[in-house]
Amino acid sequence: MTTEAETPRLTMSNIVKRFPGTVASDGAELSVRRGEVHCLLGENGAGKSTLMKILAGSYQPDEGEILLDGQRVVLNSPQAGLAAGIAVIYQELDLVPDLSVAQNLLLGHAPATGPIVRKQKRLELARAAITRVGGDFPVTATVRDLPIAAQQLTAIAKALTSDARVIVMDEPSATLGENDLLKVFEVIRSLVAEGRSIIYISHRMDEVMEIGDRATVLRDGRTVGVYDVARTGPEQLVAAMIGQERELVQSTERPRPEGEVLLEVERVRIPGVIDIAGIDVRAGEIVGLAGLGGAGRTTLLKSLFGDIKAARTVRLDGASLRVASPAAAVRAGLALVPESRKEQGLMLGLSVARNAAVTALGRPPWLLPRRIGKARTAPVLDDLGVRFASPDQPVGKLSGGNQQKVVLAKWITRGGVRVLLLDEPTRGLDVGAKADLYRQVRQLADDGVAVLLASSELNELTANADTIWVLHEGRNVAHFDPRTTPETTIAHTVITGVTP
Ligand SMILES: Nc1ncnc2c1ncn2[C@@H]1O[C@H](COP(=O)(O)OP(=O)(O)OP(=O)(O)O)[C@@H](O)[C@H]1O
Ligand SMILES: [Mg+2]
C-alpha cells in the first residue's frame, strides 16, 4: 500500500467553536478516507452542522486544524472552501428561489464567451447535471415553484457542478421522499466509485446502515466514537449518540379513545390529484396517514387547512367547516405543522420565546411583552427538550431539529387547538427528540385534541396512532387498527394499494 492511499482525504482535529452561551464544537475530531461514505451522527444540537460549516469555510473555528490530502488548509471563506474542493449541501438549501434551476446550478461559473453567457450551453450542462441526480423536472423552472424534493435534487446537482473532493450532505432525507432518496443513494455510490468522499448526516439508522462505510458520533460538540458501520448495530450507534445516562421513553399503550367524532372528512377532492372520503377523527384520537411519496397526504392536510383549494365537505363538531384560508382554519381551531421547515412560519431573526409565543396571543410578536412571552413558553419548550442558549436567542441560530420543535411549541402554547394536523413532524429529529415529540402529541390527544398524523415512518405510526389510514395514488384505500394488524400487512397496502 502506498502512503498516499493511507493519507486520509480529510482530517479535522481539535475543532473548537464557541458561540455566546454555547460551545457548539468542543474539540471535535473527524477523519474521512477517499472513496468513503462517512456518516456524521449525533442528537439535535450535537454540533454536526457547525462542524460542516467550519469545513465549508462559512464559520471560522476558534481552535483546530484541517488537513486535506495531508496538506494543512485555512478555509477562511466559503470561496476558499469551494476552491479547496469542498461542496456542502446544507440542511436549509441555499438556492436562489427566484432564479431558474439552470441559473442556480451554474451561478458564478456559467459558460460564457467574454461577458456573454452561452445560454444554450448552460441549459445543456444543467440538464446533464439534473439527469445525473435522477431529476426529471425542467431546468428552466423557477426554483421557488418546484416541490421541495426537486429543490433538494437541484442543490445536490449544484454541488456536483463544482469538482469537489469532499461532498457534504446535511440531512437530505429530511426533505426527500423514499424514491428520491434512492436516486440520491445511487448518485452517492457513483461519486465514491470515482474516489470522492461523502460526509452524510442523518438521524435515520436504516439509511446509515445502507449507505455508510464508517460513522463518527458527536455528542455535545465532542467526538465520542468512530465506527465501522458493517460491524456495528444501530443500537450501538444510538447508545453512543444519547450517552449512557439517558433512557429513551418507550411509547406506552393508550386506551382506545372513546370521544365523540370531532373531525369528519366526508370528502375532499381535487380532480386528478386527490379524492379522499370518509375519514373520521374522534376527540382524543390519533389517526395516522400512511402512504408513499405522492400518495396525497400533504395535499389532504393542506386542503383541510385552507392552504390549497379543494372541493371540501368537512365537519367540525357536526357543523360544516368552511376554511377559505389558513387564517380561517386557525380561527376554527386547526393547527398545521407542515413538512418543509421553510414553510413552518418561523421568524428566524426573532427570539425563540417570541416565535413560540407568537400564535398564542394573536398579536404581532414585536408587540408581545417579553416577560409574558417567556413565561408562557418556558414550560412547553422545556417539555419538548428544545436546546438553546437562552430564550432570547434568535430561532435561526438553533440547530435544525430544535427549530422543528419550536414549531410544535408554537401550537402547544397557543392552546385552543382542536384539530392538530402533523405532516412528517419527526423529520430531522433525533431519536430522543422523536420520543419527546410523540409524548407531547399524546398529551394533546389525551386533552381532547383530534390528531391527523402523516408520516413515512410506519413504525412511528404503529407505535403512536389509534387508527392508520393508507393513502394510495390520491385515495384512502384501507384503514387498520395498529394494535391488531401486523406492520407488514399495512406496509403491503402502502406499496400496492390493496389489502392482502
Ligand atoms: N450561528 C450560531 N449562533 C449561536 N449558536 C449557534 C449557531 N449555530 C449553531 N449554534 C448552536 O450550536 C449548537 C450546535 O448546533 P448544530 O446546528 O451544529 O447542531 P446539529 O448537530 O446540526 O443539530 P440538528 O440535528 O438539530 O441539525 C446548538 O446548540 C446551536 O444552537
Ligand atoms: Mg444540523
Side-chain angles (χ1 to χ4, degrees), residues 39 106 154 219 244 257 303 312 351 356:
C39 297
L106 294 150
T154 305
R219 198 187 325 141
Q244 252 64 48
S303 307
R312 281 182 299 245
S351 74

Side-chain angles (χ1 to χ4, degrees), residues 2-251:
T2 65
T3 45
E4 202 197 1
E6 289 163 17
T7 309
R9 167 58 42 89
L10 167 72
T11 311
M12 298 180 81
S13 32
N14 186 33
I15 305 289
V16 176
K17 178 69 185 172
R18 301 182 192 93
F19 290 113
T22 328
V23 186
S25 195
D26 194 8
E29 310 273 339
L30 176 66
S31 177
V32 180
R33 297 179 185 145
R34 63 191 60 204
E36 141 174 272
V37 180
H38 198 106
C39 297
L40 190 56
L41 308 178
E43 291 187 282
N44 297 130
K48 305 177 296 290
S49 296
T50 300
L51 195 62
M52 293 302 100
K53 285 176 185 165
I54 290 170
L55 178 61
S58 307
Y59 285 170
Q60 297 315 302
D62 296 312
E63 289 170 40
E65 192 178 61
I66 303 177
L67 302 180
L68 268 174
D69 289 319
Q71 301 289 314
R72 178 153 192 216
V73 287
V74 176
L75 306 169
N76 50 15
S77 70
Q79 289 74 22
L82 266 180
I86 292 157
V88 181
I89 301 150
Y90 286 107
Q91 220 167 355
E92 38 316 297
L93 309 172
D94 55 351
L95 299 170
V96 186
D98 291 319
L99 295 183
S100 72
V101 170
Q103 285 169 320
N104 265 286
L105 286 180
L106 294 150
L107 201 62
H109 55 110
T113 312
I116 314 224
V117 172
R118 292 163 59 204
K119 294 211 175 108
Q120 212 49 45
K121 183 78 188 159
R122 178 167 68 192
L123 287 179
E124 269 169 40
L125 290 172
R127 254 181 231 120
I130 291 297
T131 309
R132 171 148 196 216
V133 296
D136 51 8
F137 45 89
V139 296
T140 47
T142 304
V143 162
R144 182 191 296 291
D145 300 333
L146 289 172
I148 189 84
Q151 296 187 19
Q152 175 81 41
L153 289 176
T154 305
I156 294 171
K158 183 173 175 209
L160 303 186
T161 60
S162 67
D163 196 25
R165 287 188 268 184
V166 179
I167 299 163
V168 181
M169 299 189 182
D170 196 348
E171 278 195 70
S173 53
T175 46
L176 289 177
E178 200 67 31
N179 287 336
D180 293 308
L181 193 62
L182 291 178
K183 290 181 199 162
V184 170
F185 279 4
E186 270 176 43
V187 178
I188 290 178
R189 291 197 181 97
S190 76
L191 289 169
V192 291
E194 289 168 13
R196 296 175 208 259
S197 306
I198 308 285
I199 301 177
Y200 188 88
I201 301 183
S202 175
H203 290 289
R204 291 176 47 177
M205 288 306 124
D206 53 337
E207 291 170 20
V208 174
M209 292 296 140
E210 164 138 14
I211 198 76
D213 296 309
R214 290 192 304 155
T216 289
V217 176
L218 294 182
R219 198 187 325 141
D220 297 329
R222 289 185 211 109
T223 301
V224 295
V226 182
Y227 303 85
D228 193 338
V229 171
R231 280 191 238 128
T232 315
E235 311 77 27
Q236 199 181 342
L237 293 174
V238 170
M241 280 192 271
I242 62 179
Q244 252 64 48
E245 60 286 4
R246 254 183 66 194
E247 284 265 321
L248 281 185
V249 196
Q250 288 299 321
S251 73

Side-chain angles (χ1 to χ4, degrees), residues 364-483:
W366 43 91
L367 291 181
L368 184 69
R370 277 185 166 204
R371 196 172 35 78
I372 300 183
K374 277 194 214 166
R376 287 280 286 266
T377 54
V380 179
L381 294 169
D382 188 50
D383 273 352
L384 281 171
V386 181
R387 286 225 233 159
F388 49 78
S390 127
D392 294 322
Q393 196 178 14
V395 91
K397 305 280 189 214
L398 260 50
S399 78
N402 281 300
Q403 292 186 17
Q404 175 90 5
K405 295 190 215 169
V406 174
V407 179
L408 188 68
K410 256 184 14 177
W411 293 111
I412 296 175
T413 359
R414 180 171 195 272
V417 172
R418 308 192 67 202
V419 177
L420 179 62
L421 310 171
L422 298 167
D423 197 0
E424 301 286 359
T426 60
R427 283 208 174 155
L429 293 192
D430 67 52
V431 275
K434 281 183 185 177
D436 289 345
L437 181 127
Y438 282 121
R439 194 165 32 75
Q440 285 287 326
V441 171
R442 283 198 298 270
Q443 181 64 54
L444 286 169
D446 290 344
D447 294 343
V449 174
V451 181
L452 259 181
L453 164 67
S455 176
S456 301
E457 314 281 331
L458 200 50
N459 59 340
E460 291 182 22
L461 290 180
T462 50
N464 295 289
D466 301 302
T467 303
I468 297 177
W469 267 103
V470 174
L471 270 57
H472 188 79
E473 295 179 355
R475 287 164 191 274
N476 50 325
V477 293
H479 63 95
F480 299 98
D481 180 348
R483 291 176 181 78

